[in-house]
mmCIF file of all heavy atoms in Angstrom:
data_model
loop_
_atom_site.group_PDB
_atom_site.id
_atom_site.type_symbol
_atom_site.label_atom_id
_atom_site.label_comp_id
_atom_site.label_asym_id
_atom_site.label_seq_id
_atom_site.Cartn_x
_atom_site.Cartn_y
_atom_site.Cartn_z
ATOM 1 N N GLU M 27 5.230 2.812 7.801
ATOM 2 C CA GLU M 27 3.876 3.137 7.820
ATOM 3 C C GLU M 27 2.936 2.404 6.879
ATOM 4 O O GLU M 27 3.366 1.902 5.842
ATOM 5 C CB GLU M 27 3.580 4.585 7.715
ATOM 6 C CG GLU M 27 4.184 5.533 8.755
ATOM 7 C CD GLU M 27 3.810 6.974 8.627
ATOM 8 O OE1 GLU M 27 3.234 7.406 7.615
ATOM 9 O OE2 GLU M 27 4.161 7.691 9.575
ATOM 10 N N TYR M 28 1.692 2.210 7.306
ATOM 11 C CA TYR M 28 0.682 1.665 6.423
ATOM 12 C C TYR M 28 -0.558 2.538 6.620
ATOM 13 O O TYR M 28 -1.028 2.647 7.808
ATOM 14 C CB TYR M 28 0.490 0.162 6.856
ATOM 15 C CG TYR M 28 -0.617 -0.504 6.043
ATOM 16 C CD1 TYR M 28 -0.479 -0.903 4.748
ATOM 17 C CD2 TYR M 28 -1.787 -0.829 6.671
ATOM 18 C CE1 TYR M 28 -1.370 -1.470 3.985
ATOM 19 C CE2 TYR M 28 -2.998 -1.455 5.922
ATOM 20 C CZ TYR M 28 -2.668 -1.761 4.546
ATOM 21 O OH TYR M 28 -3.682 -2.341 3.931
ATOM 22 N N LYS M 29 -1.091 3.098 5.631
ATOM 23 C CA LYS M 29 -2.221 3.924 5.610
ATOM 24 C C LYS M 29 -2.054 5.084 6.570
ATOM 25 O O LYS M 29 -2.961 5.392 7.316
ATOM 26 C CB LYS M 29 -3.420 3.170 5.881
ATOM 27 C CG LYS M 29 -3.879 2.144 4.828
ATOM 28 C CD LYS M 29 -5.257 1.563 4.947
ATOM 29 C CE LYS M 29 -5.526 0.652 3.927
ATOM 30 N NZ LYS M 29 -6.864 0.085 3.983
ATOM 31 N N GLY M 30 -0.788 5.574 6.749
ATOM 32 C CA GLY M 30 -0.503 6.753 7.591
ATOM 33 C C GLY M 30 -0.377 6.490 8.983
ATOM 34 O O GLY M 30 -0.120 7.314 9.788
ATOM 35 N N LYS M 31 -0.334 5.272 9.429
ATOM 36 C CA LYS M 31 -0.108 4.820 10.864
ATOM 37 C C LYS M 31 1.113 3.994 10.930
ATOM 38 O O LYS M 31 1.438 3.223 10.049
ATOM 39 C CB LYS M 31 -1.352 4.051 11.335
ATOM 40 C CG LYS M 31 -2.653 4.713 11.267
ATOM 41 C CD LYS M 31 -3.166 5.039 12.648
ATOM 42 C CE LYS M 31 -4.529 5.699 12.643
ATOM 43 N NZ LYS M 31 -4.462 7.102 12.887
ATOM 44 N N PRO M 32 1.888 4.128 12.108
ATOM 45 C CA PRO M 32 3.221 3.506 12.255
ATOM 46 C C PRO M 32 3.020 1.940 12.425
ATOM 47 O O PRO M 32 2.032 1.488 12.989
ATOM 48 C CB PRO M 32 3.781 4.167 13.422
ATOM 49 C CG PRO M 32 2.734 4.800 14.149
ATOM 50 C CD PRO M 32 1.639 5.027 13.153
ATOM 51 N N LEU M 33 3.999 1.192 11.921
ATOM 52 C CA LEU M 33 4.173 -0.248 12.196
ATOM 53 C C LEU M 33 5.358 -0.583 12.998
ATOM 54 O O LEU M 33 6.471 -0.066 12.524
ATOM 55 C CB LEU M 33 4.209 -0.954 10.871
ATOM 56 C CG LEU M 33 2.981 -1.165 10.052
ATOM 57 C CD1 LEU M 33 3.264 -1.551 8.628
ATOM 58 C CD2 LEU M 33 1.999 -2.151 10.583
ATOM 59 N N VAL M 34 5.301 -1.127 14.175
ATOM 60 C CA VAL M 34 6.380 -1.455 14.919
ATOM 61 C C VAL M 34 6.453 -2.893 15.101
ATOM 62 O O VAL M 34 5.491 -3.487 15.689
ATOM 63 C CB VAL M 34 6.406 -0.736 16.266
ATOM 64 C CG1 VAL M 34 7.592 -0.922 17.123
ATOM 65 C CG2 VAL M 34 6.268 0.830 16.051
ATOM 66 N N ARG M 35 7.615 -3.541 14.851
ATOM 67 C CA ARG M 35 7.745 -4.918 15.025
ATOM 68 C C ARG M 35 8.773 -5.267 16.098
ATOM 69 O O ARG M 35 9.764 -4.713 16.244
ATOM 70 C CB ARG M 35 8.286 -5.496 13.601
ATOM 71 C CG ARG M 35 8.514 -6.986 13.835
ATOM 72 C CD ARG M 35 9.146 -7.508 12.410
ATOM 73 N NE ARG M 35 9.325 -8.988 12.720
ATOM 74 C CZ ARG M 35 10.055 -9.701 11.827
ATOM 75 N NH1 ARG M 35 10.667 -9.209 10.855
ATOM 76 N NH2 ARG M 35 10.223 -10.905 12.121
ATOM 77 N N SER M 36 8.307 -6.236 16.842
ATOM 78 C CA SER M 36 9.124 -6.933 17.943
ATOM 79 C C SER M 36 9.047 -8.438 17.773
ATOM 80 O O SER M 36 8.024 -9.032 18.131
ATOM 81 C CB SER M 36 8.687 -6.443 19.345
ATOM 82 O OG SER M 36 9.417 -7.086 20.374
ATOM 83 N N GLY M 37 9.929 -9.069 17.065
ATOM 84 C CA GLY M 37 9.946 -10.472 16.934
ATOM 85 C C GLY M 37 8.834 -10.864 15.965
ATOM 86 O O GLY M 37 8.754 -10.316 14.982
ATOM 87 N N ASN M 38 7.942 -11.719 16.362
ATOM 88 C CA ASN M 38 6.764 -12.123 15.577
ATOM 89 C C ASN M 38 5.407 -11.268 15.922
ATOM 90 O O ASN M 38 4.437 -11.788 15.566
ATOM 91 C CB ASN M 38 6.535 -13.570 15.798
ATOM 92 C CG ASN M 38 7.537 -14.508 14.988
ATOM 93 O OD1 ASN M 38 8.175 -13.967 14.061
ATOM 94 N ND2 ASN M 38 7.663 -15.670 15.386
ATOM 95 N N THR M 39 5.692 -10.269 16.670
ATOM 96 C CA THR M 39 4.522 -9.299 16.967
ATOM 97 C C THR M 39 4.709 -8.020 16.231
ATOM 98 O O THR M 39 5.762 -7.340 16.314
ATOM 99 C CB THR M 39 4.479 -9.197 18.504
ATOM 100 O OG1 THR M 39 4.358 -10.427 19.086
ATOM 101 C CG2 THR M 39 3.247 -8.270 18.821
ATOM 102 N N ILE M 40 3.551 -7.556 15.654
ATOM 103 C CA ILE M 40 3.635 -6.141 14.999
ATOM 104 C C ILE M 40 2.584 -5.441 15.590
ATOM 105 O O ILE M 40 1.352 -5.769 15.737
ATOM 106 C CB ILE M 40 3.432 -6.293 13.448
ATOM 107 C CG1 ILE M 40 4.506 -7.290 12.802
ATOM 108 C CG2 ILE M 40 3.311 -4.947 12.803
ATOM 109 C CD1 ILE M 40 4.268 -7.592 11.322
ATOM 110 N N TYR M 41 2.955 -4.141 15.975
ATOM 111 C CA TYR M 41 1.841 -3.225 16.450
ATOM 112 C C TYR M 41 1.577 -2.133 15.264
ATOM 113 O O TYR M 41 2.491 -1.613 14.736
ATOM 114 C CB TYR M 41 2.348 -2.501 17.683
ATOM 115 C CG TYR M 41 2.395 -3.359 18.915
ATOM 116 C CD1 TYR M 41 3.541 -4.152 19.239
ATOM 117 C CD2 TYR M 41 1.263 -3.651 19.670
ATOM 118 C CE1 TYR M 41 3.585 -4.996 20.432
ATOM 119 C CE2 TYR M 41 1.279 -4.517 20.769
ATOM 120 C CZ TYR M 41 2.460 -5.178 21.061
ATOM 121 O OH TYR M 41 2.522 -6.053 22.192
ATOM 122 N N TYR M 42 0.401 -1.953 15.147
ATOM 123 C CA TYR M 42 -0.176 -1.016 14.131
ATOM 124 C C TYR M 42 -0.936 0.013 14.718
ATOM 125 O O TYR M 42 -1.943 -0.207 15.350
ATOM 126 C CB TYR M 42 -0.926 -1.775 12.953
ATOM 127 C CG TYR M 42 -1.594 -0.832 11.988
ATOM 128 C CD1 TYR M 42 -0.836 -0.122 11.141
ATOM 129 C CD2 TYR M 42 -2.950 -0.732 11.902
ATOM 130 C CE1 TYR M 42 -1.450 0.797 10.230
ATOM 131 C CE2 TYR M 42 -3.554 0.088 11.007
ATOM 132 C CZ TYR M 42 -2.789 0.876 10.137
ATOM 133 O OH TYR M 42 -3.324 1.703 9.193
ATOM 134 N N GLY M 43 -0.495 1.258 14.574
ATOM 135 C CA GLY M 43 -1.166 2.385 15.105
ATOM 136 C C GLY M 43 -0.264 3.211 16.014
ATOM 137 O O GLY M 43 0.713 2.870 16.329
ATOM 138 N N ASP M 44 -0.794 4.411 16.319
ATOM 139 C CA ASP M 44 -0.085 5.310 17.219
ATOM 140 C C ASP M 44 -0.381 4.959 18.734
ATOM 141 O O ASP M 44 -1.555 4.992 19.088
ATOM 142 C CB ASP M 44 -0.504 6.758 16.885
ATOM 143 C CG ASP M 44 0.422 7.765 17.627
ATOM 144 O OD1 ASP M 44 1.033 7.566 18.596
ATOM 145 O OD2 ASP M 44 0.344 8.914 17.134
ATOM 146 N N MET M 45 0.555 4.781 19.504
ATOM 147 C CA MET M 45 0.366 4.434 20.970
ATOM 148 C C MET M 45 -0.196 5.549 21.647
ATOM 149 O O MET M 45 -0.721 5.445 22.805
ATOM 150 C CB MET M 45 1.695 3.978 21.570
ATOM 151 C CG MET M 45 2.201 2.622 21.153
ATOM 152 S SD MET M 45 1.051 1.360 21.313
ATOM 153 C CE MET M 45 1.153 0.939 23.032
ATOM 154 N N ASN M 46 -0.156 6.869 21.134
ATOM 155 C CA ASN M 46 -0.851 7.873 21.797
ATOM 156 C C ASN M 46 -2.335 7.905 21.584
ATOM 157 O O ASN M 46 -3.102 8.730 22.238
ATOM 158 C CB ASN M 46 -0.338 9.148 21.354
ATOM 159 C CG ASN M 46 1.225 9.353 21.757
ATOM 160 O OD1 ASN M 46 1.502 8.954 22.884
ATOM 161 N ND2 ASN M 46 2.040 9.819 20.907
ATOM 162 N N ASP M 47 -2.825 7.152 20.569
ATOM 163 C CA ASP M 47 -4.289 7.025 20.318
ATOM 164 C C ASP M 47 -4.870 6.041 21.341
ATOM 165 O O ASP M 47 -4.158 5.261 21.923
ATOM 166 C CB ASP M 47 -4.525 6.455 18.892
ATOM 167 C CG ASP M 47 -4.316 7.481 17.796
ATOM 168 O OD1 ASP M 47 -4.201 8.752 18.090
ATOM 169 O OD2 ASP M 47 -4.016 7.153 16.657
ATOM 170 N N PRO M 48 -6.210 5.986 21.546
ATOM 171 C CA PRO M 48 -6.859 5.145 22.479
ATOM 172 C C PRO M 48 -6.815 3.676 22.059
ATOM 173 O O PRO M 48 -7.043 2.730 22.908
ATOM 174 C CB PRO M 48 -8.243 5.689 22.606
ATOM 175 C CG PRO M 48 -8.443 6.643 21.618
ATOM 176 C CD PRO M 48 -7.107 6.989 20.929
ATOM 177 N N TYR M 49 -6.472 3.409 20.753
ATOM 178 C CA TYR M 49 -6.602 2.013 20.374
ATOM 179 C C TYR M 49 -5.439 1.741 19.442
ATOM 180 O O TYR M 49 -4.932 2.623 18.690
ATOM 181 C CB TYR M 49 -7.905 1.755 19.494
ATOM 182 C CG TYR M 49 -9.114 1.962 20.311
ATOM 183 C CD1 TYR M 49 -9.757 3.325 20.068
ATOM 184 C CD2 TYR M 49 -9.596 1.261 21.196
ATOM 185 C CE1 TYR M 49 -10.829 3.636 20.752
ATOM 186 C CE2 TYR M 49 -10.781 1.549 22.067
ATOM 187 C CZ TYR M 49 -11.402 2.827 21.810
ATOM 188 O OH TYR M 49 -12.612 3.139 22.401
ATOM 189 N N VAL M 50 -4.902 0.494 19.398
ATOM 190 C CA VAL M 50 -3.822 -0.008 18.546
ATOM 191 C C VAL M 50 -4.378 -1.395 18.042
ATOM 192 O O VAL M 50 -5.129 -2.123 18.718
ATOM 193 C CB VAL M 50 -2.507 0.067 18.892
ATOM 194 C CG1 VAL M 50 -1.917 1.376 19.177
ATOM 195 C CG2 VAL M 50 -2.250 -0.840 20.195
ATOM 196 N N VAL M 51 -3.672 -1.922 16.962
ATOM 197 C CA VAL M 51 -3.969 -3.231 16.534
ATOM 198 C C VAL M 51 -2.557 -4.101 16.844
ATOM 199 O O VAL M 51 -1.513 -3.536 16.476
ATOM 200 C CB VAL M 51 -4.270 -3.364 15.043
ATOM 201 C CG1 VAL M 51 -4.214 -4.756 14.559
ATOM 202 C CG2 VAL M 51 -5.571 -2.692 14.849
ATOM 203 N N CYS M 52 -2.778 -5.317 17.310
ATOM 204 C CA CYS M 52 -1.637 -6.092 17.644
ATOM 205 C C CYS M 52 -1.747 -7.318 16.556
ATOM 206 O O CYS M 52 -2.686 -8.042 16.704
ATOM 207 C CB CYS M 52 -1.666 -6.664 19.078
ATOM 208 S SG CYS M 52 -0.280 -7.731 19.497
ATOM 209 N N LEU M 53 -0.717 -7.547 15.880
ATOM 210 C CA LEU M 53 -0.770 -8.751 14.943
ATOM 211 C C LEU M 53 0.410 -9.765 15.444
ATOM 212 O O LEU M 53 1.568 -9.412 15.521
ATOM 213 C CB LEU M 53 -0.320 -8.218 13.442
ATOM 214 C CG LEU M 53 -1.209 -7.187 12.854
ATOM 215 C CD1 LEU M 53 -0.605 -6.502 11.799
ATOM 216 C CD2 LEU M 53 -2.594 -7.765 12.510
ATOM 217 N N SER M 54 -0.008 -10.957 15.669
ATOM 218 C CA SER M 54 0.833 -11.897 16.151
ATOM 219 C C SER M 54 1.009 -12.953 15.114
ATOM 220 O O SER M 54 0.101 -13.666 14.794
ATOM 221 C CB SER M 54 0.454 -12.588 17.414
ATOM 222 O OG SER M 54 0.400 -11.611 18.479
ATOM 223 N N ILE M 55 2.166 -13.172 14.472
ATOM 224 C CA ILE M 55 2.439 -14.187 13.495
ATOM 225 C C ILE M 55 2.615 -15.654 14.134
ATOM 226 O O ILE M 55 3.572 -15.714 14.925
ATOM 227 C CB ILE M 55 3.676 -13.793 12.688
ATOM 228 C CG1 ILE M 55 3.394 -12.510 12.006
ATOM 229 C CG2 ILE M 55 3.930 -14.990 11.601
ATOM 230 C CD1 ILE M 55 4.639 -11.898 11.261
ATOM 231 N N LYS M 56 1.731 -16.456 13.856
ATOM 232 C CA LYS M 56 1.802 -17.792 14.646
ATOM 233 C C LYS M 56 2.807 -18.755 13.902
ATOM 234 O O LYS M 56 3.440 -19.550 14.532
ATOM 235 C CB LYS M 56 0.293 -18.365 14.631
ATOM 236 C CG LYS M 56 -0.590 -17.567 15.396
ATOM 237 C CD LYS M 56 -0.059 -17.494 16.885
ATOM 238 C CE LYS M 56 -1.079 -16.651 17.854
ATOM 239 N NZ LYS M 56 -0.496 -16.431 19.101
ATOM 240 N N ASP M 57 2.708 -18.684 12.610
ATOM 241 C CA ASP M 57 3.662 -19.554 11.818
ATOM 242 C C ASP M 57 4.014 -18.989 10.562
ATOM 243 O O ASP M 57 3.455 -18.027 10.139
ATOM 244 C CB ASP M 57 2.992 -20.971 11.631
ATOM 245 C CG ASP M 57 1.812 -20.964 10.748
ATOM 246 O OD1 ASP M 57 1.635 -20.005 9.931
ATOM 247 O OD2 ASP M 57 0.977 -21.808 10.958
ATOM 248 N N SER M 58 5.125 -19.493 9.910
ATOM 249 C CA SER M 58 5.573 -18.898 8.668
ATOM 250 C C SER M 58 6.195 -20.053 7.848
ATOM 251 O O SER M 58 6.391 -21.082 8.302
ATOM 252 C CB SER M 58 6.598 -17.775 8.942
ATOM 253 O OG SER M 58 7.699 -18.395 9.699
ATOM 254 N N GLU M 59 6.314 -19.733 6.585
ATOM 255 C CA GLU M 59 6.915 -20.721 5.543
ATOM 256 C C GLU M 59 7.963 -19.952 4.798
ATOM 257 O O GLU M 59 7.802 -18.826 4.511
ATOM 258 C CB GLU M 59 5.824 -21.367 4.797
ATOM 259 C CG GLU M 59 4.981 -20.404 3.923
ATOM 260 C CD GLU M 59 3.805 -21.084 3.213
ATOM 261 O OE1 GLU M 59 2.979 -21.607 3.966
ATOM 262 O OE2 GLU M 59 3.783 -21.094 1.993
ATOM 263 N N GLU M 60 8.876 -20.794 4.176
ATOM 264 C CA GLU M 60 9.912 -20.340 3.338
ATOM 265 C C GLU M 60 9.410 -20.454 1.829
ATOM 266 O O GLU M 60 8.994 -21.487 1.510
ATOM 267 C CB GLU M 60 11.175 -21.029 3.616
ATOM 268 C CG GLU M 60 11.865 -20.766 4.947
ATOM 269 C CD GLU M 60 12.359 -19.306 5.093
ATOM 270 O OE1 GLU M 60 12.839 -18.768 4.187
ATOM 271 O OE2 GLU M 60 12.297 -18.818 6.205
ATOM 272 N N LEU M 61 9.712 -19.459 1.089
ATOM 273 C CA LEU M 61 9.431 -19.509 -0.303
ATOM 274 C C LEU M 61 10.673 -18.859 -1.029
ATOM 275 O O LEU M 61 10.843 -17.622 -0.937
ATOM 276 C CB LEU M 61 8.186 -18.758 -0.674
ATOM 277 C CG LEU M 61 7.897 -18.699 -2.250
ATOM 278 C CD1 LEU M 61 7.444 -20.126 -2.714
ATOM 279 C CD2 LEU M 61 6.691 -17.752 -2.438
ATOM 280 N N LYS M 62 11.466 -19.720 -1.588
ATOM 281 C CA LYS M 62 12.850 -19.346 -2.093
ATOM 282 C C LYS M 62 13.569 -18.713 -0.956
ATOM 283 O O LYS M 62 13.913 -19.321 0.029
ATOM 284 C CB LYS M 62 12.703 -18.475 -3.343
ATOM 285 C CG LYS M 62 12.083 -19.227 -4.459
ATOM 286 C CD LYS M 62 12.008 -18.402 -5.727
ATOM 287 C CE LYS M 62 11.316 -19.278 -6.812
ATOM 288 N NZ LYS M 62 11.365 -18.475 -8.089
ATOM 289 N N ASN M 63 13.993 -17.440 -1.130
ATOM 290 C CA ASN M 63 14.746 -16.681 0.003
ATOM 291 C C ASN M 63 13.835 -15.757 0.753
ATOM 292 O O ASN M 63 14.315 -14.938 1.608
ATOM 293 C CB ASN M 63 15.804 -15.879 -0.653
ATOM 294 C CG ASN M 63 16.751 -16.744 -1.376
ATOM 295 O OD1 ASN M 63 17.004 -17.883 -1.038
ATOM 296 N ND2 ASN M 63 17.459 -16.104 -2.362
ATOM 297 N N ILE M 64 12.555 -15.961 0.833
ATOM 298 C CA ILE M 64 11.613 -15.102 1.531
ATOM 299 C C ILE M 64 10.867 -15.911 2.626
ATOM 300 O O ILE M 64 10.355 -16.952 2.369
ATOM 301 C CB ILE M 64 10.570 -14.442 0.536
ATOM 302 C CG1 ILE M 64 11.321 -13.602 -0.547
ATOM 303 C CG2 ILE M 64 9.601 -13.572 1.310
ATOM 304 C CD1 ILE M 64 10.437 -13.016 -1.582
ATOM 305 N N THR M 65 10.583 -15.259 3.754
ATOM 306 C CA THR M 65 9.762 -15.857 4.768
ATOM 307 C C THR M 65 8.430 -15.301 4.693
ATOM 308 O O THR M 65 8.253 -14.019 4.870
ATOM 309 C CB THR M 65 10.318 -15.746 6.163
ATOM 310 O OG1 THR M 65 11.760 -16.238 6.176
ATOM 311 C CG2 THR M 65 9.633 -16.317 7.240
#
């Protein structure tokens, strides 16, 4: 959770919010970079 709302990830897409609410936020990661052992 973030600020009391669920985060659900599927690949490079993250949905933020409750699907029972009228609205949610969709976050699509377009690119990424490696920093040591972290993406």
Side-chain angles (χ1 to χ4, degrees):
E27 290 187 353
Y28 178 70
K29 294 187 177 182
K31 301 249 184 252
L33 286 164
V34 180
R35 179 180 177 197
S36 175
N38 285 338
T39 304
I40 300 170
Y41 289 93
Y42 171 65
D44 189 341
M45 291 305 282
N46 295 319
D47 288 342
Y49 308 96
V50 293
V51 171
C52 177
L53 305 162
S54 299
I55 301 169
K56 297 296 177 189
D57 62 26
S58 58
E59 59 185 62
E60 293 291 324
L61 179 66
K62 296 187 181 181
N63 295 334
I64 300 172
T65 304

